[in-house]
Amino acid sequence: MKLLLLHTAMVLVVAGQNVTDPPAPSSSVTPSLAPSTSPTSSPTLVPTIAPTITGGFQDLDPVCGDCWCIADSECPAEQVGITQSFPKFISETYASFVATNSIPLQAEGGGQCNPFLDILAGTEEATKVVYAEASAPQCEGPTEDTGYCAFVFEDGNSGFGDGSECQARRYAMENFAIEGDVPSNAAITHKGPCGVCSSAADLAVRMQARTSLPNDSFLCGLQYYTSGVDEDPWQVLVGCFENLGFSSSCAELWGHFTATNANLCALPCIDPGKLNGDPPECALNECLSCSEPHVSPEFDRIGGRSQAKSGITAEVARSCSDFYPVIHDPCPGQTSPPSVSPAPTTDLKSDASIEQRHGTTAVAIALVSLLFWRLV
């Protein structure tokens, strides 16, 4: 049974975000942007240069017929700011940034919370969500899906020298009602209000969605469902997402997303098949549709950042209108990297150690579900 739930979680966590534009529950409140209490450390410097911005979609993989998105008629013409993948040094530069404020995942008034409590209340699905942390009260979150979330930098937004100033830039996450309100020392990071997954650290992890994130996130789910009797499975799961680079609040939201979907969508995800149906509709398959009415919209609302709202494509086809173009440039004006050391890789349990602890059968079944991590 644990392996079945793991398989489900793998499919849905990766497919996950921005399936729909979520309605805002009336019981939610907009969280404040609190000063960060995280300890400041000296990050490892990595090469940073401004990303090369191409003028169109010619490098994007088609996911709905010949188009990179689900088009109402013709596939959209050229547009800067829609990106499929990023050089690793770009994500590493964002990962080095230091946030001066944070958005905690918490109930109104503080304390632990369940992001999906209200949206599932009174439904049959609510009785299926049985993991211990699901009993907490509802998490607070933005009440309106409007405006823009931006990074406001303390050091300004231009005029860099050899590129080293781009490392460990101090910034605050701030909401702006219209694009024209964003000051010159700031950069929009996604459409919609800031949420618990809006930080530069969370963006850095999302940028590797088609490379390291799928395999690493799969290992997090595997560790959750195969944790030892002397371990707290929830802490193992959230801690693993933190080790991937997610901020602590975002890692906890991913933990709820994983556990909730595993409880709700086991049967339709046993054999999910193709991610989307045939064009022109390219509808989500039954497995992915299972999460759409409840879990995915709340994940997007409370998390703030999604792939589409950040201008990043995924392997699941979505409506072209869901995408907001963003030029993710951590170091505007920089054209050549300084000579610095690469960042360390994430320290996770290896496939070999998992196999030694839990046997080849469990690993073989789990690795089949790894195929579905390519959905992000």
Side-chain angles (χ1 to χ4, degrees):
M1 183 61 182
K2 279 190 174 182
L3 288 173
L4 176 59
L5 294 179
L6 170 64
H7 175 84
T8 305
M10 297 306 98
V11 175
L12 288 167
V13 167
V14 177
Q17 293 70 56
N18 204 46
V19 175
T20 60
D21 289 327
S26 57
S27 60
S28 299
V29 297
T30 302
S32 59
L33 301 179
S36 176
T37 57
S38 303
T40 301
S41 59
S42 298
T44 303
L45 295 184
V46 294
T48 55
I49 63 174
T52 300
I53 305 300
T54 57
F57 300 129
Q58 63 270 22
D59 295 326
L60 300 183
D61 293 337
V63 292
C64 182
D66 295 329
C67 191
W68 60 274
C69 59
I70 304 175
D72 292 334
S73 54
E74 296 183 0
C75 195
E78 293 183 357
Q79 184 176 353
V80 173
I82 304 297
T83 312
Q84 178 171 297
S85 60
F86 298 83
K88 190 174 182 180
F89 61 77
I90 296 295
S91 62
E92 288 174 336
T93 301
Y94 276 113
S96 77
F97 287 4
V98 178
T100 59
N101 64 345
S102 63
I103 304 176
L105 184 70
Q106 63 181 17
E108 184 177 359
Q112 293 188 345
C113 63
N114 174 4
F116 310 119
L117 183 69
D118 285 355
I119 200 70
L120 293 176
T123 68
E124 181 181 352
E125 286 80 4
T127 63
K128 302 176 184 178
V129 181
V130 295
Y131 66 99
E133 291 72 20
S135 61
Q138 173 66 34
C139 300
E140 63 179 0
T143 57
E144 296 183 2
D145 187 24
T146 59
Y148 305 86
C149 178
F151 297 156
V152 181
F153 297 103
E154 290 186 356
D155 59 6
N157 205 32
S158 62
F160 297 98
D162 65 357
S164 60
E165 296 92 337
C166 294
Q167 299 297 320
R169 298 183 72 184
R170 293 173 60 83
Y171 73 98
M173 292 173 283
E174 294 188 19
N175 293 316
F176 295 91
I178 59 175
E179 292 176 293
D181 289 343
V182 179
S184 60
N185 66 324
I188 292 175
T189 185
H190 66 74
K191 188 178 181 181
C194 301
V196 301
C197 293
S198 294
S199 74
D202 301 318
L203 171 61
V205 181
R206 287 301 197 97
M207 284 182 163
Q208 299 303 316
R210 290 178 181 245
T211 54
S212 61
L213 179 59
N215 185 67
D216 290 345
S217 301
F218 164 75
L219 292 179
C220 289
L222 186 60
Q223 289 178 37
Y224 176 53
Y225 287 108
T226 59
S227 56
V229 293
D230 58 341
E231 296 178 297
D232 180 343
W234 180 253
Q235 293 303 320
V236 169
L237 178 62
V238 174
C240 187
F241 279 117
E242 287 180 335
N243 288 340
L244 297 185
F246 285 113
S247 62
S248 58
S249 292
C250 187
E252 189 172 356
L253 181 62
W254 276 89
H256 282 288
F257 188 70
T258 302
T260 300
N261 275 319
N263 279 262
L264 290 180
C265 301
L267 291 179
C269 293
I270 293 176
D271 183 17
K274 294 193 306 180
L275 310 182
N276 294 86
D278 296 330
E281 294 83 5
C282 296
L284 295 173
N285 65 22
E286 185 180 3
C287 173
L288 302 184
S289 297
C290 175
S291 183
E292 179 178 348
H294 307 298
V295 182
S296 290
E298 281 298 272
F299 185 99
D300 288 348
R301 183 181 70 86
I302 296 173
R305 182 182 303 283
S306 70
Q307 296 289 100
K309 289 181 180 179
S310 303
I312 305 173
T313 64
E315 293 186 25
V316 175
R318 309 192 190 284
S319 172
C320 303
S321 62
D322 288 342
F323 287 86
Y324 174 75
V326 181
I327 297 177
H328 296 289
D329 183 356
C331 190
Q334 180 62 33
T335 58
S336 61
S339 178
V340 290
S341 302
T345 56
T346 303
D347 182 18
L348 291 174
K349 298 175 182 178
S350 67
D351 291 348
S353 66
I354 294 173
E355 181 170 341
Q356 184 178 13
R357 290 169 54 206
H358 302 288
T360 57
T361 301
V363 173
I365 296 175
L367 287 178
V368 170
S369 68
L370 174 60
L371 295 173
F372 302 107
W373 282 103
R374 300 187 305 112
L375 300 179
V376 166

